[in-house]
Amino acid sequence: MKIKSIGLMIGVALAASVSHALADTYLYNGNTLSNGGHIDASVELACTGCGAGNYAYATGISSFSLTQYSSTNTPIATLSTSTPGVITSNFNQYVTLNGAGAVTSWVLILDNADYTTEIYTLGHGLFGTQDFGSSGHAFVNDTPGTWTLSPAAISAVPEPSTWAMMMLGFAGVGFMAYRRKSKPALMAA
């Protein structure tokens, strides 16, 4: 009985440690800038099925990136919060969702460490809507792009943690079958 209890506790602890939820990712596709290019953004929220509310960077937004494209749809510059040396501005970086899960306002600004590249997109009542990329000094005002919720990625191949849990389960079943006391077979008289 003791071994079963220990095995159950280990199994529950392993299952809890390897499980994780997918986060909602919103994608922004900006309208045409003054140089013919556009700004794209990717924002990963720290929740799944996020409801209405204001999601700030580092608390509700786990990461975001901004990319400036040329008129030929070639990336000119990309800045991401997960890249070393990239900094956020003094503004509060956030995304606001309405009850239907649509983005209604946002402020996303990134600079590299030496301030030679800055990319931002704003959709805020005070500032209007602005997309800006310092590479080529492209700018557009009051023509917002579109936000879409990226569908969750579903992998056809199980994650390594899934394989580990499956092998651990098979090993546990095999061990229990091995340890089970065998009943004596009926003897023929």
Side-chain angles (χ1 to χ4, degrees), residues 102-166:
V103 176
T104 57
S105 65
W106 64 95
V107 173
L108 301 169
I109 305 170
L110 291 175
D111 293 292
N112 62 358
D114 60 2
Y115 294 99
T116 57
T117 302
E118 178 181 45
I119 304 173
Y120 68 77
T121 180
L122 309 172
H124 186 278
L126 183 63
F127 302 112
T129 302
Q130 302 175 8
D131 288 350
F132 175 82
S134 64
S135 299
H137 300 288
F139 181 79
V140 67
N141 192 11
D142 294 329
T143 53
T146 56
W147 283 95
T148 56
L149 177 60
S150 175
I154 300 173
S155 175
V157 178
E159 293 182 9
S161 61
T162 304
W163 284 106
M165 288 299 295
M166 184 176 68

Side-chain angles (χ1 to χ4, degrees), residues 37-84:
H38 68 279
I39 302 294
D40 280 356
S42 174
V43 178
E44 185 175 308
L45 300 181
C47 55
T48 302
C50 304
N54 191 19
Y55 296 91
Y57 176 62
T59 56
I61 297 175
S62 53
S63 66
F64 69 94
S65 63
L66 299 168
T67 303
Q68 180 183 355
Y69 289 88
S70 70
S71 59
T72 60
N73 210 27
T74 304
I76 297 173
T78 298
L79 298 175
S80 172
T81 56
S82 59
T83 304

